[in-house]
Amino acid sequence: MEKSNLAKHIELFRQLVAEAIEFSNAGPWMMMTNKCERFLHRRSSYRELQYISDGDNNGVIYYAGTSFGKHQWINPVLAKNITVTASSPNSRYTDPKALVSKNYQGTCFAGPRDEDGKKCSWWMVDIGQDHQVVYVKK
C-alpha cells in the first residue's frame, strides 16, 4: 500500500498507511490495550479501475454493470446500480440506458438548457451513496 498510486498522490492516505504499518509493528499487546475505533480492523472496498478506452472492461460503468464485480455485465441503469440524468428530458437522444451501454450510440446527446440565463448541456451519472470515484492524474 505504501508504494501504491494512492499513496503517491494522496498525502493523507500515505500518512494513514504509515500509521498502520507502525501499529502492526507494535505487536499484539497494543491491540489489547488500544480500543480506539480508528485502530479496529475494517475491510476496504477500494478498487483501482484503469479506464483505457470507451467500451473496455476497465471503467466505473463496466464495474457497476457487473454489480461491482459480483455478476456478469448487465446495463447498470437496468440493474439499478447507477442513475443517469441529462439536461434534456428523456427521449431517443437522451436515453440513460444508451449512454452506459456497451455499444456506441451516435444519437446519445443532451440538448442545451437554460440555467440562470445561460445555455448549458450536461449528463449526471450517480454511482450510488456507497460509492465514490477518486481521480488520480498520472
Side-chain angles (χ1 to χ4, degrees):
M1 297 291 302
E2 63 187 328
K3 293 182 177 147
S4 70
N5 276 336
L6 281 176
K8 289 177 187 172
H9 294 92
I10 302 173
E11 178 63 29
L12 179 60
F13 183 80
R14 184 173 32 253
Q15 292 169 358
L16 290 171
V17 169
E19 185 177 307
I21 291 168
E22 180 182 338
F23 180 75
S24 68
N25 291 337
W29 66 269
M30 188 173 182
M31 289 182 196
M32 300 298 283
T33 60
N34 195 333
K35 299 293 184 194
C36 178
E37 183 178 312
R38 183 171 172 168
F39 293 108
L40 296 177
H41 178 73
R42 64 180 171 202
R43 289 187 60 178
S44 171
S45 60
Y46 163 78
R47 298 284 185 271
E48 185 171 340
L49 305 172
Q50 295 185 358
Y51 164 86
I52 296 170
S53 65
D54 291 350
D56 69 12
N57 296 347
N58 303 316
V60 173
I61 301 300
Y62 183 82
Y63 189 61
T66 62
S67 293
F68 308 101
K70 296 177 189 164
H71 305 292
Q72 290 284 73
W73 192 89
I74 185 170
N75 188 304
V77 168
L78 294 174
K80 298 187 178 176
N81 291 334
I82 65 172
T83 304
V84 177
T85 310
S87 57
S88 307
N90 285 359
S91 71
R92 70 178 195 179
Y93 300 108
T94 56
D95 181 5
K97 297 180 301 298
L99 182 71
V100 297
S101 75
K102 290 179 82 175
N103 302 319
Y104 174 73
Q105 301 287 323
T107 60
C108 200
F109 65 90
R113 177 182 181 155
D114 272 335
E115 290 184 9
D116 297 327
K118 296 179 184 176
K119 297 255 186 224
C120 64
S121 300
W122 50 264
W123 284 96
M124 178 183 70
V125 178
D126 182 350
I127 59 174
Q129 180 176 339
D130 297 330
H131 303 282
Q132 60 184 339
V133 174
V134 176
Y135 173 73
V136 179
K137 186 176 180 182
K138 295 184 180 193

